[in-house]
């Protein structure tokens, strides 16, 4: 898809009343949406419909973005809320295909913006796989439509609706790979996953059981299975609540220092201030969507 013109985007979709939603050109020639209302500010990149920032008024950003993040067409951004779709992690049969799918590295189409009755601002993005280039369609031949609704207010609500437009069942893996901003990783705990089974990527996807709250003192890379319940991140200074629907897995990831150093875009001390808690359908929890059917993954983040 060609990069849309900023003036055209503003003409069709900007909001300028008490609430604001405007488009501007960002680094790497990638358009950004900036949103501000009485509740919060947010920034979203059109590549990947990627939320880069969400800060409720008076709060530090809830979303972590690496100081070393690079912005370039076709390259995923380190931080924010990458959309892993239509598969999570490595592709199941072809390791040459990009990890976490292609949704995060293509431009999404803006379909609608609106101020809701309660003053929240909603923006709706769409990705239709039938309009992607040949290389991507070869990776994902089944016509699939993704609609992504982002609602910015005191809470951040994200809804990813996948519809199977093909005449065969499709297998969907996905995650909202959210990088949360934490004040100190060593003091951060995650609750809600006690007693749940997980696959530990650091030990070859061994199956283990979570004992108590999660604390992070080394590399953590886990897929918690059958975890449809809410999760809370407590970093001592505040609590971030993750409420979700349509997500059976929860991924918890922090690369810790050694792995972070090999990544090149996580910043020197970045790992100390980020924690990914991802609302996902991954590994044993991938979904099958029948022809014509849809699946909705919905999360709502709030801070206290
Ligand atoms: O969700 C956790 C994970 O799959 C980790 O294994 C780690 O590699 C991370 O995502 C980041 O992946 P990326 O492709 O963005 O470098």
């Amino acid at each position: 898809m060609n990069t849309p013109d900023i003036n055209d985007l503003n003409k069709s979709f900007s909001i300028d009343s008490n609430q604001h939603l405007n488009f501007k050109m960002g680094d790497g020639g990638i358009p950004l949406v900036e949103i501000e209302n009485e509740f919060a500010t947010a920034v979203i990149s059109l590549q990947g419909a990627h939320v880069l920032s969400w800060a409720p008024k008076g709060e530090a950003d809830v979303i972590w973005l690496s100081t070393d993040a690079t912005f370039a067409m076709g390259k995923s951004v380190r931080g924010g809320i990458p959309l892993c779709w239509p598969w999570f992690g490595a592709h199941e049969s072809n390791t040459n295909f990009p990890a976490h799918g292609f949704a995060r590295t293509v431009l999404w189409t803006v379909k609608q913006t609106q101020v809701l009755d309660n003053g929240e601002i909603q923006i709706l993005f769409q990705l239709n796989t039938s309009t992607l280039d040949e290389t991507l369609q070869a990776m994902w031949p089944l016509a699939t439509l993704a609609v992504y609704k982002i609602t910015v207010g005191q809470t951040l609500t994200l809804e990813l609706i996948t519809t199977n437009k093909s005449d065969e069942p499709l297998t969907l893996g996905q995650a909202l790979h959210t990088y949360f901003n934490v004040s100190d990783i060593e003091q951060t705990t995650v609750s809600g996953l006690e007693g749940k089974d997980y696959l530990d990527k650091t030990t070859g996807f061994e199956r283990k059981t979570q004992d108590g709250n999660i604390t992070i003192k080394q590399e953590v890379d886990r897929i918690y299975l059958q975890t449809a319940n809410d999760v809370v991140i407590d970093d001592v200074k505040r609590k971030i609540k993750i409420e979700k629907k349509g997500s059976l897995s929860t991924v918890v990831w922090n690369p810790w220092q050694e792995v972070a150093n090999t990544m090149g875009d996580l910043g020197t001390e970045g790992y100390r201030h980020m924690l990914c808690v991802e609302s996902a359908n991954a590994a044993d929890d991938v979904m099958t969507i029948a022809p014509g059917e849809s699946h909705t993954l919905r999360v709502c983040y709030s801070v206290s």
Side-chain angles (χ1 to χ4, degrees):
M1 182 174 125
N2 293 333
T3 309
D5 182 78
I6 297 295
N7 291 331
D8 292 346
L9 284 168
N10 276 320
K11 245 185 245 159
S12 307
F13 298 111
S14 72
I15 296 170
D16 268 312
S17 50
N18 294 337
Q19 340 275 343
H20 300 281
L21 181 151
N22 295 100
F23 296 84
K24 72 167 198 188
M25 192 49 86
D27 291 349
I30 302 170
L32 300 176
V33 192
E34 290 184 328
I35 295 176
E36 177 160 16
N37 57 17
E38 59 186 290
F39 308 113
T41 58
V43 181
I44 305 161
S45 169
L46 263 60
Q47 176 165 263
H50 193 131
V51 177
L52 300 172
S53 161
W54 167 60
K57 289 274 160 90
E59 280 287 336
D61 213 312
V62 178
I63 308 299
W64 180 86
L65 179 64
S66 174
T67 48
D68 290 4
T70 49
F71 295 87
M73 284 292 182
K75 184 169 173 12
S76 62
V77 174
R78 185 64 62 202
I81 310 184
L83 286 179
C84 304
W85 186 96
W87 61 86
F88 176 84
H91 186 270
E92 63 167 358
S93 58
N94 192 329
T95 49
N96 292 323
F97 290 177
H100 293 322
F102 48 77
R104 60 181 178 164
T105 51
V106 296
L107 285 169
W108 286 56
T109 307
V110 179
K111 295 300 278 186
Q112 193 188 40
T113 57
Q114 60 174 324
V115 180
L116 304 180
D117 289 346
N118 61 7
E120 293 180 328
I121 289 183
Q122 188 172 81
I123 180 164
L124 205 141
F125 290 94
Q126 180 178 295
L127 180 65
N128 182 349
T129 62
S130 309
T131 64
L132 295 173
D133 66 31
E134 276 172 23
T135 318
L136 294 178
Q137 286 205 47
M139 290 180 196
W140 188 259
L142 301 178
T144 312
L145 182 71
V147 171
Y148 189 37
K149 253 189 242 175
I150 301 175
T151 308
V152 176
Q154 192 63 44
T155 58
L156 180 71
T157 306
L158 308 169
E159 256 182 290
L160 180 60
I161 305 147
T162 303
T163 304
N164 182 354
K165 296 278 186 187
S166 79
D167 48 15
E168 285 173 44
L170 69 79
T171 304
L172 175 70
Q174 58 182 351
L176 300 173
H177 194 304
T178 309
Y179 289 74
F180 289 99
N181 186 18
V182 296
S183 47
D184 178 0
I185 191 66
E186 293 201 60
Q187 293 196 56
T188 299
T189 56
V190 179
S191 58
L193 299 169
E194 307 82 78
K196 305 287 187 187
D197 282 359
Y198 63 90
L199 303 176
D200 188 342
K201 192 171 167 191
T202 67
T203 59
F205 293 102
E206 240 181 304
R207 199 176 179 111
K208 300 178 181 170
T209 302
Q210 179 63 37
D211 183 14
N213 289 345
I214 303 170
T215 51
I216 296 113
K217 311 272 183 218
Q218 58 183 11
E219 182 190 2
V220 168
D221 195 349
R222 303 173 181 169
I223 303 173
Y224 287 85
L225 302 166
Q226 292 295 306
T227 48
N229 53 288
D230 302 346
V231 173
V232 175
I233 302 171
D234 186 344
D235 81 343
V236 183
K237 289 199 174 148
R238 64 181 178 185
K239 287 191 169 95
I240 302 168
K241 187 172 183 191
I242 303 166
E243 294 171 88
K244 59 178 188 160
K245 275 201 180 124
S247 155
L248 287 176
S249 333
T250 310
V251 178
V252 179
W253 177 60
N254 181 295
W256 214 249
Q257 188 161 26
E258 211 182 315
V259 176
N261 287 345
T262 65
M263 292 171 64
D265 59 359
L266 210 120
T268 355
E269 290 287 289
Y271 78 98
R272 296 204 141 271
H273 302 291
M274 52 98 8
L275 179 64
C276 288
V277 178
E278 309 166 31
S279 299
N281 289 298
D284 304 5
D285 296 328
V286 292
M287 323 279 315
T288 303
I289 307 181
E293 297 291 308
S294 299
H295 172 268
T296 302
L297 165 56
R298 184 177 194 277
V299 305
C300 180
Y301 302 141
S302 54
V303 183
S304 60

